[in-house]
Amino acid sequence: MTDPLDDFTRREIALDGATKAVYVAGTGPAVIVMTEMPGISPHVARFARWVRDAGFTVYMPSMFGRDGAVPDAEEGKAVFQRACVSAEFRAFAGNASSPVTQWLRALARLAHAECGGPGVGAIGMCFTGNFALTMMLEPAVLAPVLSQPSLPLDNPGGIEISPEEIAQVRQRLERDDLTVMAYRFEGDRFCRAQRFAAYAEALGDRFVARVLPDSAANTRDLPSFFSQVVASPHSVVTAHLIDEAGQPTIAARDEILSFFARRLGVADQARAEEAAPSAGS
């Protein structure tokens, strides 16, 4: 079923010479929700609504695919292939950030100016998973979350950021006493243990990793792109999340919302947890 996204305001935002559609909703400090492959699906929009309902203003940029759609395997593969050759992304060969992260850093500055507060949160997923780390080069970004970061696709132990940039990020994390949250399923084919090991080596104890067992992943009623193309537990807070109390994926979602609340000053953590939606909502 297509999600009309009609509870978001669709804005055309021009930054750094490029214009992108951005879906905005909520009040409070800003959190940038970057979609996984193959686009802003109803699962991604559901997560964005959870962030909104926990007391934040969500900025959800359209980066690829059909907004609100659940593409089948063939359409999803076509979106994936176009992104792989796009000049905006570096799908292969790590040690450099995707060019689109410059635009995303500008979006973080704009969102902070519009929403106020101490800073901005950011979560990337899958193809965009590492982008929240590169966005730490923008001082407004205080709460980065990496969910199943999948690039570079050709090197399981690679990370999509240059050595110079990650050194700057490490310095900032130490100076400002910040951390990076990261999530993956144990058996994920696209985000393997080697990648998290590389992040841990680069960032030390500032990198906080959560590895969920494969048994915690939803396997029912998956869109064909996830069942046929992804074909492993992968999307921690979207398609593979089990929306039931007590599930590890719900615990991961709630931890992310609490992380945003602590870093972005949403009243206090207790209030943020009260605002967080219950499972099944």
Side-chain angles (χ1 to χ4, degrees), residues 7-261:
D7 52 335
F8 294 85
T9 299
R10 188 182 190 275
R11 296 170 54 184
E12 298 288 332
I13 296 181
L15 299 165
D16 286 358
T19 300
K20 295 185 182 298
V22 181
Y23 293 85
V24 182
T27 58
V31 172
I32 296 171
V33 174
M34 292 168 279
T35 184
E36 66 187 359
M37 189 62 62
I40 300 176
S41 68
H43 291 107
V44 172
R46 177 181 64 175
F47 177 78
R49 291 182 178 104
W50 282 332
V51 175
R52 175 200 64 193
D53 294 346
F56 304 97
T57 306
V58 169
Y59 288 72
M60 184 169 55
S62 177
M63 305 179 73
F64 35 70
R66 287 190 295 124
D67 301 338
V70 184
D72 62 20
E74 289 306 311
E75 181 184 352
K77 283 193 291 185
V79 172
F80 174 74
Q81 290 164 357
R82 286 194 296 272
C84 284
V85 299
S86 167
E88 287 195 306
F89 305 104
R90 288 181 57 90
F92 304 96
N95 297 323
S97 296
S98 286
V100 74
T101 56
Q102 294 282 348
W103 190 92
L104 292 165
R105 287 159 60 185
L107 178 63
R109 289 193 296 274
L110 174 69
H112 188 212
E114 292 182 345
C115 299
V120 173
I123 178 169
M125 311 174 192
C126 177
F127 213 78
T128 67
N130 187 75
F131 294 177
L133 185 65
T134 303
M135 289 170 69
M136 289 294 291
L137 297 170
E138 164 53 47
V141 179
L142 299 179
V145 178
L146 284 57
S147 192
Q148 72 272 0
S150 302
L151 302 185
L153 294 169
D154 59 346
N155 181 3
I159 54 178
E160 201 222 18
I161 186 171
S162 73
E164 296 78 16
E165 287 176 333
I166 203 163
Q168 293 176 49
V169 170
R170 173 68 181 265
Q171 291 171 1
R172 185 177 175 219
L173 293 170
E174 297 284 355
R175 182 183 68 244
D176 298 342
D177 191 22
L178 300 174
T179 52
V180 177
M181 299 298 298
Y183 299 81
R184 60 179 289 270
F185 284 108
E186 186 174 17
D188 191 338
R189 297 192 306 132
F190 297 94
C191 180
R192 299 184 181 180
Q194 298 98 306
R195 179 153 299 137
F196 271 28
Y199 283 125
E201 181 178 0
L203 301 174
D205 60 6
R206 299 290 168 174
F207 179 73
V208 180
R210 302 284 189 253
V211 180
L212 282 64
D214 292 351
S215 60
N218 172 47
T219 58
R220 298 174 57 189
D221 301 321
L222 290 171
S224 62
F225 177 81
F226 289 91
S227 62
Q228 298 176 26
V229 180
V230 177
S232 73
H234 179 65
S235 300
V236 175
V237 294
T238 56
H240 289 111
L241 176 142
I242 299 176
D243 192 8
E244 297 173 0
Q247 290 291 334
T249 48
I250 285 294
R253 179 205 66 180
D254 291 347
E255 184 178 50
I256 291 168
L257 297 179
S258 294
F259 176 62
F260 289 150

